[in-house]
Amino acid sequence: MEFHDGPYVERHASDIAQPQTSHYPFTPMPLPYAYDALEPKIDALTMHLHHDKHYTTYVNNLNAALKDHPKFHNWTLEQLIIHGKRLPTSIQTAVSRNAGGVFNHQFFFEGMLGGAHNSHLHNSTVGAHIIRPSALIQQFKDELKKNALAVFGSGYAWLCQNHRGEMCVITTANQDTPLTLGMQPLLCIDVWEHAYYLKHYNNRSDYFDDWFSLV
Ligand code: MN
């Protein structure tokens, strides 16, 4: 879904802090803030489970899928995602799902950095670079929220920059990423239930509002 671009975003995608890239064997990115740094918006137990269990499992499964394929051990996470069709068919699905899971979670965790207590990196997040007027912020929030609530099952809602440099709001299913659509992600919200169920139960709308206040 197209989100009308306006003067309120002043930076290009390349200016935004990117998730770390590396190659096999991938190691879990440490959470860039304390587990309770997003309280009370997002609870520490959810962050523990989300980072240490869900995210780390994607890292481990990605390594397992690549283990016997040394030819691809120097590929970055982004290369594995974007050029997944060049991989042996026997591991394409596993790599796609798990590399996407790693990328999406790193992007999601880093996106909340500016909302963390004691964050020294407020200026590195997208939100800090969205210029007022507040009416446009509200319009953007409404558009992103509409998309986030419309994700059926598990997935993500994203603010992206497309190949023409225009801002757009999209959704992806499961662990699909905007990279395979040729888009540069700027911000995402994980709407898998594991991201919010402990605190918000099935209330994705309240979870969205709490998340938005962090970014
Ligand atoms: Mn998740």
Side-chain angles (χ1 to χ4, degrees):
M1 176 172 287
E2 212 57 23
F3 181 73
H4 300 295
D5 59 315
Y8 49 90
V9 176
E10 67 176 356
R11 304 216 319 176
H12 294 287
S14 57
D15 298 329
I16 306 296
Q18 298 297 306
Q20 69 180 23
T21 57
S22 59
H23 53 76
Y24 179 95
F26 293 93
T27 52
M29 175 191 83
L31 197 65
Y33 35 76
Y35 289 99
D36 63 357
L38 306 177
E39 293 268 14
K41 304 293 184 179
I42 297 184
D43 59 290
L45 179 56
T46 291
M47 292 309 295
H48 267 289
L49 293 169
H50 206 169
H51 179 275
D52 301 353
K53 302 298 182 185
H54 292 279
Y55 162 65
T56 300
T57 297
Y58 286 110
V59 176
N60 294 338
N61 288 345
L62 176 59
N63 288 331
L66 292 168
K67 180 170 176 288
D68 296 328
H69 300 272
K71 185 179 170 184
F72 305 101
H73 286 182
N74 65 341
W75 281 32
T76 65
L77 189 61
E78 287 78 3
Q79 286 176 310
L80 290 167
I81 291 169
I82 294 169
H83 304 298
K85 291 285 186 283
R86 296 187 198 168
L87 298 167
T89 52
S90 60
I91 62 169
Q92 280 186 12
T93 299
V95 170
S96 169
R97 287 176 180 168
N98 291 295
V102 172
F103 179 87
N104 292 346
H105 280 104
Q106 290 178 176
F107 212 88
F108 172 68
F109 293 144
E110 291 198 336
M112 296 185 288
L113 187 56
H117 302 315
N118 302 319
S119 171
H120 58 286
L121 289 170
H122 283 285
N123 293 331
S124 71
T125 58
V126 171
H129 298 282
I130 296 179
I131 303 168
R132 274 37 98 191
S134 58
L136 286 173
I137 299 286
Q138 189 62 45
Q139 183 192 349
F140 162 63
K141 180 183 177 182
D142 292 345
E143 180 72 10
L144 191 61
K145 184 171 184 176
K146 187 174 70 177
N147 277 264
L149 297 184
V151 173
F152 181 75
S154 298
Y156 295 77
W158 302 82
L159 172 66
C160 292
Q161 193 170 38
N162 68 19
H163 66 281
R164 293 188 299 271
E166 298 162 341
M167 314 303 290
C168 53
V169 170
I170 65 166
T171 63
T172 55
N174 302 313
Q175 295 298 354
D176 292 347
T177 82
L179 298 180
T180 54
L181 303 172
M183 294 193 181
Q184 176 63 48
L186 300 175
L187 187 66
C188 77
I189 177 170
D190 182 342
V191 295
W192 286 58
E193 282 191 341
H194 66 233
Y196 60 93
Y197 203 84
L198 292 180
K199 174 176 166 59
H200 298 89
Y201 302 106
N202 60 336
N203 194 333
R204 191 185 289 182
S205 177
D206 283 357
Y207 160 62
F208 179 93
D209 291 340
D210 279 347
W211 167 81
F212 194 85
S213 71
L214 295 169
V215 301

